Amino acid sequence: KVEHEKLGILLNELKIDTAIFYGKETEYSFKEFKGIKFYFQERDELIKFVKSFDFLGKAILVKGSRENRLEEVCEILRKRYRS
């Protein structure tokens, strides 16, 4: 819990404007983060969001534990924004 809270605080300090959180533990980061934020507990909801959200012109960091299988999110982003 504490480490996830620290992540939310760090994102604020780094002046990150938008963050997307996925998974039960990231709720603590979500609560601490003050910018534009989205939180998902269900994988299907996250995937649907990633397929429709406008990421154009944004730097994206995808970070999570292996069990979250975020490779699919990365692949969706690659396909949508391939130049």
Side-chain angles (χ1 to χ4, degrees):
K1 174 184 175 185
V2 173
E3 293 304 314
H4 284 92
E5 289 172 336
K6 287 181 185 177
L7 174 60
I9 293 166
L10 177 62
L11 294 174
N12 294 328
E13 291 171 356
L14 294 173
K15 300 189 183 337
I16 302 299
D17 62 1
T18 306
I20 302 164
F21 301 96
Y22 169 61
K24 185 176 180 180
E25 295 297 318
T26 65
E27 183 176 5
Y28 303 111
S29 303
F30 175 81
K31 287 179 179 178
E32 292 293 333
F33 183 63
K34 304 299 182 208
I36 299 166
K37 56 189 176 180
F38 305 90
Y39 173 69
F40 302 95
Q41 284 191 14
E42 300 297 325
R43 182 176 179 71
D44 292 343
E45 293 174 0
L46 172 66
I47 296 300
K48 183 178 178 181
F49 178 84
V50 169
K51 287 181 176 180
S52 64
F53 186 77
D54 183 10
F55 292 96
L56 195 62
K58 298 188 183 309
I60 303 168
L61 168 66
V62 178
K63 196 256 179 251
S65 64
R66 292 291 306 134
E67 72 182 72
N68 286 333
R69 302 181 340 253
L70 295 176
E71 297 87 352
E72 184 177 359
V73 169
C74 293
E75 188 57 30
I76 291 166
L77 293 169
R78 276 189 211 103
K79 286 180 181 177
R80 286 188 66 199
Y81 295 100
R82 195 170 277 155
S83 39

